[in-house]
Amino acid sequence: MTFAELKEKSLDELNKLVADLRAELFSLRFKNATRQLDETHKIQLVKKDIARTLTAIKAKTLEGNK
């Protein structure tokens, strides 16, 4: 997911996306701990998606305060 795609979404959609990504991250970490995760690189990808989404949320809230 690119930052440009995230900028087009509303705050509600972004907050829901963060919640979904955090749930996915929890699931991936659990699978990794039980040695059921084959593609461990997905953990890093999800963490980066969360960071991008949180950055987009912060940018939108700062835009609204101006």
Side-chain angles (χ1 to χ4, degrees), residues 13-66:
E13 291 174 329
L14 291 173
N15 286 325
K16 183 178 180 329
L17 182 61
V18 168
D20 292 343
L21 287 171
R22 285 185 173 160
E24 182 180 353
L25 181 61
F26 177 79
S27 174
L28 289 173
R29 284 181 173 163
F30 189 79
K31 286 180 182 177
N32 191 35
T34 59
R35 308 273 186 214
Q36 295 176 351
L37 185 64
D38 295 331
E39 300 167 344
T40 57
H41 69 281
K42 286 188 177 185
I43 293 173
Q44 289 180 335
L45 296 177
V46 172
K47 286 170 73 173
K48 287 181 181 183
D49 283 343
I50 291 171
R52 272 190 214 104
T53 307
L54 290 174
T55 302
I57 290 172
K58 183 69 170 181
K60 285 217 182 255
T61 55
L62 290 177
E63 279 180 9
N65 289 341
K66 289 186 180 181

